[in-house]
Amino acid sequence: MTMIADNLQRVRARMEQACRACGRDPASVTLLAVSKTFGADAVRQAHAAGQTAFGENYIQEAVDKIRALAGHPARAELVWHCIGPVQSNKTRLVAEHFDWMHTVDRLKVAQRLSDQRPAHL
């Protein structure tokens, strides 16, 4: 087992314990693994350990990683979350490459994300 797989297993066990302690179904909680500063290979390892949701707030680094994983057999299973505020000049990258945007702090950003989102997404 890789260190990444081992860490994920420990985190999931803690999450399950916390859910059970408060009477919540563990299946109702999703682990969002923040993969910033880690390369595409780390994402591959995490995915091999069952992780599918990845959070990023370094936009260009994330886009490079998403592109590097475009040919990965399980690319359709990977879900990319932009988890930090985004500058107006980066909205096109977010709109075109991410599945989710978590922090929209200005109407201008929301409008640009909407306008720049490809129709097939």
Side-chain angles (χ1 to χ4, degrees):
M1 180 178 292
T2 69
M3 183 173 70
I4 289 173
D6 187 49
N7 287 344
L8 281 169
Q9 185 177 26
R10 283 198 311 272
V11 168
R12 288 185 188 120
R14 289 178 59 202
M15 287 173 56
E16 184 173 343
Q17 183 180 24
C19 285
R20 296 206 188 285
C22 69
R24 184 168 179 176
D25 178 8
S28 71
V29 177
T30 300
L31 174 61
L32 181 60
V34 177
S35 53
K36 71 179 188 176
T37 74
F38 291 92
D41 190 54
V43 173
R44 283 186 198 96
Q45 288 179 41
H47 179 262
Q51 184 62 35
T52 58
F54 295 91
E56 294 275 350
N57 68 339
Y58 295 159
I59 306 302
Q60 189 57 56
E61 176 187 313
V63 169
D64 292 345
K65 202 176 304 180
I66 291 167
R67 287 178 176 153
L69 292 164
H72 188 271
R75 168 57 186 108
E77 296 175 14
L78 302 179
V79 180
W80 295 96
H81 298 251
C82 184
I83 57 174
V86 65
Q87 299 169 344
S88 297
N89 65 336
K90 302 282 184 165
T91 56
R92 181 171 302 282
L93 291 172
V94 174
E96 292 176 347
H97 296 282
F98 285 83
D99 299 296
W100 292 94
M101 176 68 205
H102 288 261
T103 308
V104 177
D105 59 353
R106 289 171 288 150
L107 179 59
K108 177 183 177 181
V109 169
Q111 188 63 55
R112 288 176 62 100
L113 288 167
S114 178
D115 292 345
Q116 295 169 339
R117 186 74 168 167
H120 70 281
L121 298 175

